[in-house]
Amino acid sequence: MKKMPPKERVPSGYERPSLSSLLIYYIRILLLGFVYMVLVHLFLSPDGLLYRVAVWVWAVSFALLWLLYFPIKYWKHRYKLEGNSLYVASGVIYTRFHHIRLPLIQLVSVTRSPLQYLFGVATLCVCTAGTRTYVCNIPSAKAAMLASLLSPAPGGDSGGLASGKEGDI
Amino acid sequence: MKHHTHPITILQNMGSFLFLLIIPLARGALSFGASFSEWLSGAWVDILALCAIIGMAVLRWYCIYYYFTPEAIHISEGIFAKHTVSLPFSRLTSLYLEEPFWYKPFGAVNLRLDTDAGSARSHDATLTLKKRAAVELLGATGVRQRLEDVSHRQIFMCRNFYVVILSLITTNYFAGVLFCSTFISKLGDILGQQIADVLYGTLAHVAQLVAVGIPPVALFIATLLAIGWGVSFLRNLTRYYNFCITRSQHRLFITGGVLVGREYTVAIDKIHFIDIRQTLFTRIAQFYSVYIKCAGYGKSDGLLPVLIPSARKSTLFGYLERLVPEFVVTPRTIKPNLLSIFKFIIDPLGFLVAVPVFYFVTGWLLPSWHDLISFVTLMSLVPIFWFLGVRICDFCTTGISEKNGYFTLRYSQGFTLHTVVVHRDKICDVCCRQSILQMGDDACDLFLYTYGEGVTRHHLKNLPRREVCALFGLNPEKGHSFSLSHLFNKYN
């Protein structure tokens, strides 16, 4: 029986976000956990049943997020710029594949939170007339480069307020 | 080169940090009853809070900057979380230059930019600039020309009488306020009597007070509603006063407003569709209002995306030909058959049947409230008959036609009659739905979806299915699924 070659784990050409995105997710969940435990400790009695339930719920959620959700989220989030299109895949439970044609892109934006500043990454947001797609936690320089690449060039099928500039308005 | 916004933005930013005023307010509340010297000893906290508000506002202003290239404008903002948005000029659908009178001493204007993407509720980018800087920015990038330099222009100046008509039509609660005022005033009289009859037996002095107090309260609420409508009417009037449109080859320049000077620049090829609207009242009076759907126009401050505030039929098409000659209104070629009138009036008839049922059931359950129930029943008939009138007009006018790739749709939505002219390129989805009842005369409901910062749905009722299939180039013998490729292949 012929041996089938193993399937590629990541379709070719796709890139993943920076590994520091996983660290960012972990730091966020730790901060959230800290606030949660402070509130639980303030409002619930340590001897009561509700306190124990709150602690166990958090412990289980934390473990699931830490060990399963965020690693899968990092692993499945990828993007590729090929030809005239941007492909983005993301999602944990439901996997979403976005195919965005470059001529349909209306505007792009780059956002950096304080944590992203610390790790030198940024989030790229690509907007078309009907949707908005995010590529999270990619290196800042790459985000800026992609933003300039994805911004529509003048001329061609553009139109809009920039059409007919000199004496032809 | 980076540019900052007008320093007046600092005052706008302070609004975001006013929550810090809770510190001096709390301190004032806690020290209530204490001596002045005690209060003064902690005043440094108040001063610190105030300094924090001003400092954060200044810092936020400093962190907002913009720069532009020949292709796009780039705007960066945010103190801790930096957000940079790039708006290509080729993608701009509209720009809005707003000059409130309270900005005039500072020489500031609001510049709002929009594309087909982004939120349908807020502009994609808003900058408060010095007027000179705004005009320089837009002129240097060729996006906006001085109106005096526009060649081959058509100008439409709306008489203010028609602006008054528009304000009357579009002011919120126009008919509803009149209706509610009458309703509440009469209801107060009835409730007073009802409560007096019921409560006199059990409660003494308090019941009397309530029964006596309600009619004046109802009158007060009715007066308040009428005043609210009056304020809304005046507000609309000042927004559209001196309404003027200049049409150049590729753009529309729309100006107007009294207290706040407004200037819109709209790209013609970014207009998704035009919408000629009538209510039953304006249909009887033979007035038409024309709106356009374009990302950014009519988005802020409750403004309506008006093209022609109001016009008579004799002049309307002349104006449309001058302003938007691309959008040609054609007579309907596909329309419902005569027997399908029932489909149009079934909804208001349903309400008409429900009202007497409501009257008899509630009258049987609550016999002591007979007067109130009679009054409510009678008043509820007014909007139902109005709705019936709209639906009958809808039946007489509903239809669809096509010429040179432009579809003219006629339908009603709520209490408004619409005539929409849209190009096939702006249609993102077509759906045909046939219910069991429609199978008898092979009719269908047609749903057309047009795109542009959210999807707009146009619902045409009870059209002949075969003719609709022929219009969109589909085989009527097959299923009812449409695809855009069929639509485009027909014209390519």
Side-chain angles (χ1 to χ4, degrees), chain B residues 310-322:
Chain B
S310 184
R312 296 270 186 191
K313 190 174 183 178
S314 53
T315 51
L316 173 73
F317 294 104
Y319 294 150
L320 285 176
E321 196 167 343
R322 280 161 59 188

Side-chain angles (χ1 to χ4, degrees), chain B residues 125-342:
Chain B
T126 301
L127 294 169
T128 304
L129 306 172
K130 288 179 185 165
K131 189 172 182 179
R132 194 169 24 89
V135 173
E136 203 179 301
L137 162 66
L138 298 171
T141 51
V143 170
R144 176 180 174 271
Q145 301 288 331
R146 288 191 323 151
L147 291 183
E148 294 78 13
D149 297 336
V150 173
S151 60
H152 311 297
R153 53 186 175 163
Q154 294 284 340
I155 299 175
F156 164 74
M157 286 199 70
C158 181
R159 283 172 55 194
N160 288 320
F161 167 71
Y162 292 111
V163 173
V164 171
I165 299 289
L166 175 74
S167 303
L168 281 172
I169 297 165
T170 57
T171 296
N172 285 338
Y173 322 120
F174 171 45
V177 163
L178 289 177
F179 173 77
C180 288
S181 300
T182 316
F183 181 93
I184 291 168
S185 179
K186 187 65 181 164
L187 191 66
D189 291 337
I190 292 171
L191 273 179
Q193 281 178 321
Q194 294 288 349
I195 290 184
D197 289 338
V198 170
L199 296 180
Y200 266 133
T202 53
L203 301 170
H205 189 60
V206 173
Q208 271 184 314
L209 277 177
V210 169
V212 169
I214 280 185
V217 168
L219 190 64
F220 171 75
I221 293 171
T223 308
L224 205 62
L225 284 173
I227 290 171
W229 176 85
V231 168
S232 182
F233 168 76
L234 282 173
R235 209 170 159 218
N236 274 343
L237 196 60
T238 53
R239 276 176 185 158
Y240 302 108
Y241 211 71
N242 296 330
F243 189 83
C244 178
I245 300 181
T246 302
R247 164 71 198 256
S248 68
Q249 192 174 355
H250 297 287
R251 296 177 193 138
L252 283 175
F253 303 93
I254 303 163
T255 58
V258 175
L259 299 175
V260 177
R262 293 189 171 91
E263 184 186 311
Y264 278 96
T265 305
V266 173
I268 294 292
D269 59 342
K270 297 294 184 183
I271 295 175
H272 301 298
F273 59 83
I274 68 165
D275 185 1
I276 304 170
R277 294 185 198 170
Q278 281 188 303
T279 62
L280 195 60
F281 169 72
T282 55
R283 188 163 183 86
I284 296 166
Q286 292 284 303
F287 283 108
Y288 296 78
S289 298
V290 184
Y291 300 80
I292 56 172
K293 173 78 172 176
C294 175
Y297 180 43
K299 193 185 271 191
S300 49
D301 299 333
L303 290 167
L304 297 167
V306 173
L307 184 69
I308 299 171
S310 184
R312 296 270 186 191
K313 190 174 183 178
S314 53
T315 51
L316 173 73
F317 294 104
Y319 294 150
L320 285 176
E321 196 167 343
R322 280 161 59 188
L323 294 174
V324 281
E326 299 87 354
F327 295 87
V328 179
V329 181
T330 50
R332 54 180 184 159
T333 53
I334 300 174
K335 55 190 178 184
N337 62 49
L338 285 173
L339 296 173
S340 59
I341 185 170
F342 185 70

Side-chain angles (χ1 to χ4, degrees), chain A residues 154 162 165, chain B residues 68-73 89-90 140-141:
Chain A
K165 286 185 185 179
Chain B
F68 55 92
T69 60
E71 295 85 27
I73 178 170
F89 295 122
S90 60
T141 51

Side-chain angles (χ1 to χ4, degrees), chain B residues 73 95-98 109-113 125-129 134 137-138:
Chain B
I73 178 170
L95 68 91
Y96 173 32
L97 209 60
E98 182 186 54
V109 294
N110 285 327
L111 174 66
R112 303 183 206 267
L113 306 169
T126 301
L127 294 169
T128 304
L129 306 172
L137 162 66
L138 298 171

Side-chain angles (χ1 to χ4, degrees), chain B residues 358-421:
Chain B
F358 164 81
Y359 173 72
F360 286 117
V361 168
T362 49
W364 175 65
L365 289 172
L366 306 163
S368 59
W369 295 80
H370 180 262
D371 285 345
L372 171 65
I373 293 166
S374 303
F375 173 71
V376 170
T377 307
L378 200 63
M379 292 302 287
S380 64
L381 287 175
V382 173
I384 293 171
F385 276 111
W386 192 268
F387 189 39
L388 181 64
V390 171
R391 280 299 180 92
I392 291 172
C393 285
D394 185 22
F395 167 71
C396 297
T397 55
T398 277
I400 186 171
S401 57
E402 182 273 330
K403 187 178 179 183
N404 298 332
Y406 282 89
F407 292 89
T408 303
L409 319 170
R410 291 178 170 84
Y411 61 94
S412 77
Q413 190 172 22
F415 289 87
T416 309
L417 298 160
H418 294 263
T419 303
V420 169
V421 182

